[in-house]
Amino acid sequence: MAVGKEIRGKIKSFENTKKITKAMELVSASKMRKAQDRMRHARPYADKIRNITANLSQANPEYHSPYMRVTSPKNVGFIVVTTDKGLCGGLNTNVLRAVTNKMREVQAAGGTIQSVAIGNKGLGFLNRIGAAVVSHVTQLGDRPQLDKLIGPVKVVLDAFVDGKLDAVYLCYTKFINTMNQEPMVEQLLPLDGTRLTQTAEEKKAYGWDYIYEPDAATVIDELMTRYIEALVYQAVAENMASEQSARMVAMKAATDNAGNLIGELKLVYNKTRQAAITKELSEIVSGAAAV
């Protein structure tokens, strides 16, 4: 019964794997609910500051922030948000494919690229393709912390203000629902062309203007900084919610597949065992008949 022993070993191995994937599924389900709550709580602030920034872009202040400078996007920065861990299906693959396509467009136009990696998977990928990674942050844990994000992101923001970059793109995975997550490549800077929530009617109906205290430069620069921080934080929160959802689905699929394989192996084992028993009985009967 060497074959039967080998099959029993495989069954035992798949049962152990099933236990692990089931445990990971339950853990991801628990973390997913918390991640979704954080993401939803962050959305109102991000939407409101985006509205304010949209209104500001329609006003005519005496000071124009360098973040609003619009030039031909030749030199481009990418902020790439991925996960630190794997086992989450095609989540990272999809967003990194979108980033690669955008980078090829920039390179085809003769531009240069600087990258900021948020997450270990993105950092490893950018290093493998030879991208210029100017800063990175990994091991964010299960809860995004803004103070860990500001430093690495500030590198490309300073490069934009200094004129070394003409545009900055934010790349992440947007949470749609538990079964659907969408890779996003959005223009973060300059302000013109970014995703704003004003409608055409609002733009036509209002002529936005403000009185700034203490001065326009202080207020606008601070608002721009908060705007960028809010969008980066929201992107990381969206990505974390997407990660836990994708991992829960992937681990559920792995658990189901392990169960199917165990059932098939048990069927094969039972057939093999029955065949061996039948053979032994035939040998006994044949031996008795010969005597």
Side-chain angles (χ1 to χ4, degrees):
M1 290 290 291
V3 176
K5 184 177 181 181
E6 181 181 351
I7 294 174
R8 286 199 305 271
K10 289 183 178 180
I11 291 173
K12 184 66 175 177
S13 175
F14 283 123
E15 286 177 344
N16 292 335
T17 301
K18 183 179 179 181
K19 291 178 182 178
I20 294 172
T21 56
K22 184 63 176 178
M24 293 181 69
E25 176 191 346
L26 296 175
V27 171
S28 296
S30 175
K31 290 182 177 181
M32 179 188 69
R33 287 188 287 270
K34 297 177 182 178
Q36 289 180 8
D37 289 341
R38 285 193 293 269
M39 174 201 66
R40 293 191 178 99
H41 291 160
R43 276 181 176 176
Y45 177 80
D47 290 341
K48 180 58 67 174
I49 197 170
R50 188 180 289 111
N51 278 333
I52 295 173
T53 309
N55 298 339
L56 184 63
S57 69
Q58 304 300 315
N60 297 302
E62 59 271 25
Y63 170 77
H64 292 277
S65 171
Y67 291 135
M68 297 180 182
R69 182 188 69 247
V70 180
T71 58
S72 177
K74 184 176 181 182
N75 304 316
V76 179
F78 287 86
I79 302 173
V80 183
V81 182
T82 57
T83 67
D84 284 320
K85 302 175 182 178
L87 298 176
C88 50
L91 185 78
N92 293 318
T93 302
N94 294 335
V95 69
L96 292 175
R97 183 183 295 115
V99 171
T100 303
N101 293 336
K102 190 64 179 180
M103 285 183 173
R104 286 174 179 169
E105 292 178 9
V106 174
Q107 292 172 340
T112 62
I113 294 172
Q114 295 183 18
S115 303
V116 175
I118 300 177
N120 192 49
K121 294 298 180 180
L123 176 61
F125 174 81
L126 293 172
N127 287 332
R128 284 195 299 274
I129 65 174
V133 181
V134 294
S135 62
H136 70 274
V137 57
T138 58
Q139 306 302 325
L140 291 175
D142 298 327
R143 182 187 297 272
Q145 297 178 2
L146 188 58
D147 57 343
K148 290 185 178 180
L149 302 173
I150 292 175
V153 172
K154 193 174 186 298
V155 176
V156 291
L157 300 185
D158 290 343
F160 180 85
V161 172
D162 295 339
K164 297 177 182 178
L165 293 177
D166 303 314
V168 177
Y169 286 90
L170 181 60
C171 315
Y172 65 100
T173 303
K174 182 179 180 179
F175 179 85
I176 306 299
N177 53 53
T178 304
M179 301 298 296
N180 186 18
Q181 300 86 36
E182 181 180 357
M184 305 293 293
V185 179
E186 296 179 344
Q187 184 174 315
L188 183 63
L189 292 172
L191 177 59
D192 289 354
T194 56
R195 177 171 57 89
L196 302 175
T197 56
Q198 273 189 319
T199 64
E201 291 76 13
E202 288 175 332
K203 292 179 180 179
K204 294 171 66 176
Y206 300 100
W208 298 102
D209 199 6
Y210 297 92
I211 299 175
Y212 302 96
E213 290 292 343
D215 57 80
T218 301
V219 175
I220 293 175
D221 285 345
E222 185 68 19
L223 178 62
M224 292 296 102
T225 302
R226 293 289 177 266
Y227 167 74
I228 295 167
E229 290 176 355
L231 262 62
V232 172
Y233 180 88
Q234 181 65 26
V236 174
E238 296 266 357
N239 199 79
M240 286 186 173
S242 300
E243 174 190 1
Q244 299 302 335
S245 300
R247 181 171 292 118
M248 184 191 71
V249 173
M251 291 301 100
K252 185 180 187 308
T255 303
D256 294 341
N257 291 337
N260 293 336
L261 285 172
I262 290 170
E264 292 175 3
L265 286 173
K266 284 183 176 179
L267 183 60
V268 172
Y269 173 75
N270 290 333
K271 287 182 177 180
T272 304
R273 183 169 175 271
Q274 186 63 44
I277 293 172
T278 303
K279 182 180 178 181
E280 290 177 3
L281 288 174
S282 298
E283 291 173 352
I284 293 172
V285 171
S286 298
V291 172

